[in-house]
Structure formats: C-alpha cells, structure tokens
Amino acid sequence: MVITNIHAEKETHARELIEKGLKLEADLRAAEPLREEVIHLRLQIKKLTSTKQELTNQVQSLTQELTRVRADNQQILTMKAEIDKLHQELMRVWTGIEYEKKGNYKLMEQKQSMEKKLISMTCEIEKSRADLATMDGRPWVVAEGCFILSKALYITGFLTGQIFFMCF
C-alpha cells in the first residue's frame, strides 16, 4: 500500500508534469504568432526611429535655411531702403542739374545779349572815333562793311594785337 500510494503519487505527479508540459507546448504554439508579431514590431520600431532621425535632420536643415532666408530678407529690406535713399538723392541731383542747365542757359543768353550790346557800343565808339579821326586827320579805311583802325588794341573787349576790326 505504501508502495502503491507512492507509485500512484509518482504517476499523478508525472501526469501533472506531462499536462504542464503539454500546456506549455500549447501556450508556446499559441505564443509563436505573438513572437513573430513582436519581431515584426521591433523592425517597424527601428524603421520609425530611422525615419524620425531623418525627419529631425530635415527639420534642423529647414530651420537653418529659414534663418538664412530671414537674414537675406532683412538685408533685402535694408538694401531697398538704401536704394530708395539713393533714388531720392539722384532725383535731387537731377533737379539741381536741370536748374543749373536753365540757369546756365539764361546766363548764356545774358552773355550773348551783353556781347551784342558791347559790340554795338564798340561800333558806336568806333564811329565816334572815326568821326573824331576825320577831324584829326587819322587814317580810317572802310573795307567790306568793317571799320579798320591801325594800332587798335581791342576787339569786342578782347586784347588782339595791332589791328581792330569792327563789323556793322
């Protein structure tokens, strides 16, 4: 009896171990798809981690590019303001040049008018001198519409030499 009880206990224990083994095998077979899924998920995690790193690098690169573009835009705004200032200065200078041209043109007209008046006055003076010279006996010659006086020193107010020509 004791032996039969020990034997029965061993048999029961062996059956329990066999049942546990079968149960573990069944659990292992049931866990096999989960194992494959875990392996698959680990691969996806690696891919996602790699993609995340690439995206992080792209974000950093784009952030640097954005910073550079903002700096360029700031320089463009500064350059535009400088160009506007230069344009305004150019317009002021251009206006001044136009004013000077008009002023120079007026001065030129005045100069020409004064020269004509001076020539007219010189002609009158020379006519008066000629009249005086005929009274004094100086030699005057009229040639081709001009009075010629020997040893005169000026032609329309300019030093020329020994002969004075005055056209009328």
Side-chain angles (χ1 to χ4, degrees):
M1 253 225 130
V2 177
I3 293 183
T4 42
N5 280 341
I6 292 179
H7 200 341
E9 278 182 29
K10 276 188 179 186
E11 239 179 76
T12 310
H13 185 58
R15 269 189 235 155
E16 285 177 4
L17 286 176
I18 291 172
E19 284 177 12
K20 280 184 182 179
L22 291 174
K23 186 177 178 185
L24 285 174
E25 279 183 26
D27 287 344
L28 187 60
R29 283 188 206 119
E32 186 67 30
L34 293 176
R35 181 177 174 265
E36 289 177 11
E37 190 175 335
V38 167
I39 291 171
H40 178 71
L41 289 174
R42 284 185 181 163
L43 287 174
Q44 283 184 344
I45 287 172
K46 284 182 182 179
K47 286 180 185 177
L48 290 174
T49 303
S50 173
T51 304
K52 176 187 169 192
Q53 185 62 37
E54 288 175 14
L55 291 174
T56 301
N57 291 340
Q58 286 179 1
V59 166
Q60 288 175 346
S61 174
L62 290 174
T63 302
Q64 291 171 350
E65 180 75 17
L66 180 63
T67 302
R68 193 179 101 276
V69 167
R70 283 182 179 163
D72 289 348
N73 284 344
Q74 187 63 35
Q75 287 179 346
I76 288 171
L77 292 175
T78 303
M79 290 171 70
K80 185 179 181 205
E82 191 173 319
I83 287 171
D84 288 342
K85 286 179 185 176
L86 289 172
H87 186 261
Q88 290 173 356
E89 184 177 342
L90 177 65
M91 294 308 292
R92 278 194 312 272
V93 168
W94 187 256
T95 303
I97 288 171
E98 290 298 318
Y99 179 77
E100 289 292 323
K101 278 184 182 177
K102 288 178 184 176
N104 286 341
Y105 182 73
K106 288 179 183 177
L107 286 174
M108 181 76 111
E109 286 178 344
Q110 288 176 353
K111 179 183 169 200
Q112 289 174 349
S113 174
M114 289 174 69
E115 283 178 352
K116 287 179 183 178
K117 287 178 184 177
L118 184 59
I119 290 171
S120 175
M121 288 171 50
T122 304
C123 281
E124 291 296 322
I125 290 171
E126 291 303 319
K127 284 181 186 178
S128 296
R129 282 185 184 169
D131 290 341
L132 286 174
T134 55
M135 290 181 197
D136 285 348
R138 279 187 171 182
W140 282 87
V141 179
V142 175
E144 297 181 22
C146 291
F147 289 106
I148 302 172
L149 175 63
S150 297
K151 298 190 181 183
L153 298 176
Y154 296 95
I155 180 168
T156 64
F158 297 104
L159 184 61
T160 60
Q162 296 298 319
I163 300 177
F164 181 80
F165 295 94
M166 177 51 74
C167 297
F168 58 90

